[in-house]
């Protein structure tokens, strides 16, 4: 029997032990804190939206003019504004993911689907691996209208995570509460030992280990354009 199971194990679907160990919870409702464009927290419960994927907190994309912008932060800000317009949010449980997070379908108090709105406005993507194309119509509309991410060019969040899995940029922490404390001002303007002014953006190799000393003249910047105008150049890696 053991040999049969081992020999044929490739035909069995992957089992998420979280769904065996953890009980199915009741729906969650309350005022949400935004973690990123596809994750919120309600009453201490971390909730991942079912079927969509948004840019990660440290992810940058290119706008219509080819300039980099913090698309992860923009996505989170759009979600925060959308949820604030009709509180509270309500989330129906779908499954537990492999990290033990509640995955659910969420709606605002007025009944608007959060996931559908995010995709339709180009702030998140339909994730076929988990959605079976549920939000493909909304995505087609956003793409045709060049809304949000579709106004320029971007890497899909799932591909971005693979490339940045070792740099600490995919941890779950509030998007709007890091850097120097000012929303979005997360670019680090460092001065090297020989006096060269170099800035680092989230996702680059040395970003996490770079410490800013304002006493030395180092600065936080809110955009790459601001850093360049101040005389800093982008780190090569």
């Amino acid at each position: 029997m053991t040999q049969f199971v081992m020999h044929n194990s490739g035909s069995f679907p992957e089992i998420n032990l979280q769904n065996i160990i953890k009980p199915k919870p009741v729906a969650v409702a309350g005022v949400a804190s935004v973690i990123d464009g596809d994750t919120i927290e309600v009453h201490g419960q971390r909730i991942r939206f079912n079927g969509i994927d948004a840019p990660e907190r440290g992810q940058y994309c290119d706008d219509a003019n080819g300039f980099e912008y913090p698309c992860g932060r923009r996505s989170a800000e759009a979600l925060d504004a959308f949820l604030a317009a009709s509180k509270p949010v309500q989330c129906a449980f779908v499954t537990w993911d492999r990290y033990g997070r509640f995955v659910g379908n969420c709606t605002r108090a007025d009944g608007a689907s959060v996931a559908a709105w995010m995709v339709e406005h180009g702030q998140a993507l339909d994730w076929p691996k988990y959605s079976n194309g549920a939000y493909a119509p909304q995505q087609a509309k956003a793409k045709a209208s060049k809304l949000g991410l579709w106004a320029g060019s971007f890497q899909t969040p799932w591909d971005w995570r693979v490339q940045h899995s070792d740099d600490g940029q995919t941890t779950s922490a509030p998007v709007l509460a890091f850097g120097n404390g000012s929303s979005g001002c997360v670019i680090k303007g460092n001065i090297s030992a020989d006096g060269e002014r170099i800035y680092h953006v989230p996702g680059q190799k040395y970003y996490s280990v770079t410490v800013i000393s304002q006493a030395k003249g180092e600065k936080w910047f809110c955009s790459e354009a601001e850093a360049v105008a101040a005389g800093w150049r982008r780190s090569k890696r």
Side-chain angles (χ1 to χ4, degrees):
M1 182 64 176
T2 301
Q3 291 179 340
F4 174 82
V5 172
M6 293 178 64
H7 179 73
N8 293 280
S9 59
S11 64
F12 288 91
E14 181 180 349
I15 297 175
N16 183 347
L17 293 179
Q18 297 288 344
N19 288 304
I20 298 175
I21 299 172
K22 301 180 72 170
K24 180 179 178 179
V26 296
V28 175
V31 176
S33 297
V34 172
I35 304 303
D36 57 28
D38 55 39
T39 308
I40 58 175
E41 187 170 291
V42 179
H43 301 315
Q45 174 67 66
R46 191 67 57 94
I47 301 169
R48 180 72 158 79
F49 300 143
N50 183 47
I52 71 169
D53 201 9
E56 293 294 332
R57 61 174 183 149
Q59 187 171 349
Y60 276 65
C61 302
D62 290 338
D63 64 17
N65 298 312
F67 291 105
E68 283 190 331
Y69 73 97
C71 51
R73 179 175 63 83
R74 294 279 178 83
S75 175
E77 290 174 340
L79 173 61
D80 190 55
F82 177 68
L83 294 178
S86 182
K87 302 176 183 178
V89 68
Q90 301 179 39
C91 299
F93 177 78
V94 175
T95 187
W96 296 109
D97 71 7
R98 60 177 177 163
Y99 303 108
R101 292 178 301 185
F102 178 118
V103 178
N105 292 318
C106 301
T107 58
R108 294 194 313 187
D110 61 4
S113 166
V114 179
W117 187 91
M118 289 294 286
V119 175
E120 186 172 350
H121 288 77
Q123 298 299 335
L125 302 179
D126 175 69
W127 198 355
K129 181 178 180 181
Y130 298 105
S131 71
N132 293 317
Y135 302 105
Q138 290 87 348
Q139 181 158 294
K141 182 177 179 180
K143 185 175 182 179
S145 301
K146 297 183 178 180
L147 297 177
L149 296 168
W150 301 104
S153 59
F154 60 90
Q155 186 175 29
T156 61
W158 49 87
D159 286 336
W160 190 91
R161 284 193 295 273
V162 171
Q163 292 188 6
H164 297 79
S165 60
D166 296 326
D167 62 16
Q169 292 300 311
T170 59
T171 56
S172 296
V175 176
L176 306 180
F178 64 102
N180 66 344
S182 299
S183 176
C185 300
V186 299
I187 297 175
K188 297 180 178 181
N190 177 247
I191 301 176
S192 67
D194 57 4
E196 188 174 11
R197 298 184 175 191
I198 303 171
Y199 70 84
H200 304 262
V201 301
Q204 290 190 299
K205 183 175 181 180
Y206 297 112
Y207 180 85
S208 61
V209 297
T210 299
V211 177
I212 298 304
S213 172
Q214 294 180 326
K216 292 170 50 181
E218 296 176 331
K219 299 181 178 181
W220 291 91
F221 296 104
C222 299
S223 70
E224 291 199 66
E226 180 186 357
V228 171
W232 265 258
R233 71 162 177 83
R234 184 186 172 106
S235 172
K236 296 179 181 178
R237 54 180 178 171

